[in-house]
Amino acid sequence: MSIVRVDAEAASVAVEDVVDIAAKGGIKLSDQMAADFVTLVSGLEAVIANLPDDSCVMPIPDLSKYPRTDIHVPEDNNLGGWAAKVTAKCTAPTSDLLKGRTIALKDNIAFAGVPCTNGTSMVEWTPKVDATVATRVMDAGGTIVGKAACENACFEGLSASASTGHVHNPWAQGFSAGGSSSGSARLVGTGAVDMSIGCDQAGSIRIPAASCGIVGLKPTWGMVPYTGIINLDAAIDHAGPMTRTVRDCALLLEAIAGPDTWDDRQLLLELDDARLKFVKPVDEIVSKPRSRMLSGIKIGVLQEGFQIDGQDENIVKCVQVAVDKFETLGAEVAPVSIPEHKLASLVWMSSLALPCGRQALLGGMEGRKQLYMTDRLALVGPRLTQQQFDSLGPGAANLYLNHLWFSEKHGPAHQGKCMNLQKFISDAYDKALKEFDILAMPTLPHPAPKLPENGYEEGMLKFAMRTTGMITNTSPFDNSGHPALSIPVGFVPAREDANVKLPAGLQLVARKYSDVDCLKVAAAWEKAYDWKSL
């Protein structure tokens, strides 16, 4: 390591501290090395002490331009949907794209002055900055009306772990709304808001969208800036729209997409303005005669997506019927096999512990060029305290224990192996998407499960077993970065009670940066068929 400056007079570090820290790392220092290190570290501490404050570069909002009022935690939280409420809009919007629309932000998205729980009581944090997506919503004329509840540390697919309480399915109280963007889906599904923004690392937009009967898009990795949003793992972090209709999904995506100069997921993203327009192509598709809306579009039905262990046969039938209807819209539909798909979720599972434990729970983002929310990072140390660990839900607690286990037992070589396999699997999807415009499959293998009555008091293992296999079709595309959209296509009986009918979702996957193709195909199906009557 090159030395920029040494201050021999600034011996602020005690030799005992140097020796002790080295010993904790398993290193024994000679007397001479310890003395030399005291001088070197003292110089480093002097430099650190004299660095300028970074507040001048933080995206702290102009509250005269983006005022916010009535910040509060509502007594009636819409059966778990709300974490907090606020009223915020821009006094001089640059467009009217979202004029008159109300939008909720997932509660891992920073919005200055509004508490951000991230679904957990692990730390208490009220941001001073606004996430890029929040600013863009207001610049487009939208009104932000609150923070939607999310699952504990954003690491559950079952809506029973949020620190604000259970989030109930809008179609059946007592059943899951999905996760981790559970509140975002419920609020849209009940009509409490027009739109919401969720985040997705394994399916956290698409799982609740499918569970609640709404449209949810995980955009191409880097299409929407993640600036000002609490990370899980920068390699799989995605933010995207959750809406009642496909056109609204296109509208919100158009408002929030595009580089923001902060997020290094986007540094190589060079898209012309036409590639960031989503509403006009959707409108053009649905204006065509029904039988020609999807003329020239090839849809590949992913066979492995229908072959998941424990998959509900009602889901399979419902989604297959929906896929078959694409032919009536002019599309060419054919089966496609991608054997690597069966490996993809397993690679996701084994690649998560090291980076996600470090980034999501400990705040370690070194190596990334992005906005660091340093006030929140200061609240977490190099290891979780017992209190912090005890505040985690089963999924996040399991993540942290896996992080400690993998760090000790496997290390960087295993992580490297997983990243190499991710590239191998992503290439397999790319190859199939040279032949097909869209890959189609069920979003989830089964309908939303029933919520446990006592949260996760039933124990980590039993709680986790409620959603086993849920991310088999969703997590692969977080790793690969392909855009993936879930659209509701009908109702199926709940597994626990055949008299309860719950939504089923169809997932559409397109080429990277061809998010508009997902939207066009979904819009055509939505225009032609009423999913609630199928």
Side-chain angles (χ1 to χ4, degrees):
M1 176 175 162
S2 179
I3 299 170
V4 177
R5 191 175 92 186
V6 174
D7 188 348
E9 303 300 320
S12 61
V13 176
V15 67
E16 294 83 4
D17 289 340
V18 166
V19 171
D20 181 58
I21 288 175
K24 288 179 179 177
I27 303 299
K28 183 176 182 180
L29 300 177
S30 68
D31 291 345
Q32 183 60 55
M33 186 174 287
D36 289 347
F37 198 49
V38 164
T39 300
L40 292 168
V41 174
S42 294
L44 175 61
E45 287 292 332
V47 169
I48 291 172
N50 286 286
L51 287 176
D53 190 355
D54 66 342
S55 61
C56 62
V57 301
M58 301 292 281
I60 296 173
D62 177 355
L63 295 182
S64 63
K65 183 179 180 181
Y66 303 104
R68 54 214 63 186
T69 59
D70 197 25
I71 300 170
H72 66 284
V73 176
E75 291 185 13
D76 177 4
N77 68 358
N78 193 297
L79 287 178
W82 291 111
K85 298 192 82 172
V86 64
T87 300
K89 59 192 304 185
C90 181
T91 59
T94 55
S95 81
D96 61 0
L97 199 62
L98 300 179
K99 183 178 180 180
R101 303 302 185 99
T102 56
I103 296 93
L105 306 175
K106 184 177 179 178
D107 199 27
N108 66 335
I109 299 174
F111 197 56
V114 182
C116 186
T117 70
N118 198 35
T120 180
S121 59
M122 190 182 100
V123 298
E124 293 185 6
W125 177 56
T126 298
K128 299 176 182 177
V129 301
D130 283 354
T132 299
V133 291
T135 303
R136 287 182 174 176
V137 162
M138 293 185 289
D139 282 340
T143 301
I144 294 173
V145 292
K147 303 293 291 296
C150 63
E151 297 312 300
N152 196 300
C154 294
F155 214 78
E156 296 288 356
L158 184 72
S159 61
S161 70
S163 58
T164 48
H166 284 17
V167 183
H168 293 264
N169 192 293
W171 295 96
Q173 188 172 338
F175 284 80
S176 177
S180 62
S181 306
S182 47
S184 296
R186 175 173 174 82
L187 294 175
V188 172
T190 60
V193 296
D194 297 318
M195 306 167 167
S196 66
I197 297 178
C199 304
D200 194 312
Q201 286 85 7
S204 288
I205 287 173
R206 293 158 290 157
I207 293 169
S211 298
C212 294
I214 67 170
V215 179
L217 172 66
K218 181 204 75 66
T220 301
W221 186 75
M223 177 66 77
V224 173
Y226 212 78
T227 304
I229 306 176
I230 298 172
N231 293 79
L232 283 190
D233 176 358
I236 57 174
D237 287 330
H238 303 75
M242 302 175 72
T243 60
R244 281 189 292 280
T245 68
V246 177
R247 190 180 192 276
D248 275 358
C249 191
L251 201 65
L252 184 52
L253 181 62
E254 191 165 314
I256 63 177
D260 73 346
T261 75
W262 269 105
D263 189 349
D264 69 355
R265 302 164 187 79
Q266 300 185 297
L267 290 181
L268 300 179
L269 181 62
E270 295 182 5
L271 297 178
D272 55 44
D273 288 344
R275 293 289 297 274
L276 295 173
K277 300 298 183 185
F278 305 101
V279 180
K280 184 179 178 181
V282 165
D283 288 344
E284 289 174 346
I285 280 287
V286 299
S287 68
K288 294 180 179 181
R290 174 171 168 159
S291 63
R292 297 206 302 271
M293 281 195 285
L294 297 182
S295 179
I297 297 292
K298 295 184 66 176
I299 296 175
V301 184
L302 182 60
Q303 299 303 285
E304 287 77 10
F306 290 80
Q307 299 167 359
I308 299 170
D309 290 343
Q311 195 166 32
D312 190 301
E313 63 178 15
N314 293 307
I315 289 284
V316 171
K317 291 176 182 176
C318 181
V319 173
Q320 188 62 62
V321 167
V323 169
D324 290 343
K325 293 183 184 302
F326 282 123
E327 291 185 328
T328 70
L329 307 178
E332 179 183 339
V333 180
V336 60
S337 175
I338 306 177
E340 293 83 354
H341 184 72
K342 290 188 174 181
L343 175 64
S345 60
L346 304 179
V347 172
W348 179 94
M349 179 178 174
S350 61
S351 68
L352 205 67
L354 283 177
C356 199
R358 181 174 64 86
Q359 295 179 40
L361 299 178
L362 301 176
M365 294 302 300
E366 60 272 10
R368 307 299 314 198
K369 293 182 178 180
Q370 60 183 56
L371 173 68
Y372 287 71
M373 294 176 285
T374 51
D375 54 343
R376 187 177 191 277
L377 296 178
L379 300 175
V380 184
R383 294 280 179 105
L384 295 186
T385 65
Q386 187 67 49
Q387 177 275 323
Q388 290 171 335
F389 178 77
D390 290 343
S391 72
L392 299 177
N398 183 45
L399 169 66
Y400 187 62
L401 293 173
N402 281 342
H403 173 72
L404 298 177
W405 176 267
F406 271 74
S407 298
E408 182 72 25
K409 297 293 185 179
H410 298 283
H414 169 81
Q415 188 64 27
K417 174 183 178 179
C418 289
M419 296 304 290
N420 292 340
L421 288 172
Q422 285 181 20
K423 176 65 166 60
F424 165 70
I425 295 166
S426 180
D427 288 347
Y429 294 129
D430 286 339
K431 182 179 178 181
L433 286 165
K434 288 180 179 178
E435 179 181 356
F436 296 96
D437 300 290
I438 291 288
L439 302 177
M441 69 208 78
T443 308
L444 301 178
H446 47 70
K450 198 167 186 178
L451 292 170
E453 292 183 5
N454 298 314
Y456 40 87
E457 291 180 10
E458 64 186 13
M460 182 184 293
L461 181 59
K462 188 174 180 180
F463 187 90
M465 292 295 287
R466 291 176 180 268
T467 56
T468 300
M470 175 178 283
I471 63 172
T472 303
N473 277 348
T474 55
S475 63
F477 305 107
D478 290 281
N479 275 347
S480 71
H482 292 86
L485 179 147
S486 181
I487 181 175
V489 291
F491 288 98
V492 297
R495 290 180 296 173
E496 299 89 342
D497 183 349
N499 294 316
V500 174
K501 299 300 187 292
L502 294 165
L506 163 65
Q507 182 173 234
L508 305 172
V509 177
R511 303 179 186 102
K512 294 168 188 172
Y513 302 112
S514 293
D515 305 54
V516 70
D517 288 344
C518 289
L519 293 163
K520 290 192 297 185
V521 171
W525 196 99
E526 180 185 76
K527 174 73 173 180
Y529 298 102
D530 177 7
W531 73 273
K532 295 176 186 176
S533 63
L534 294 177

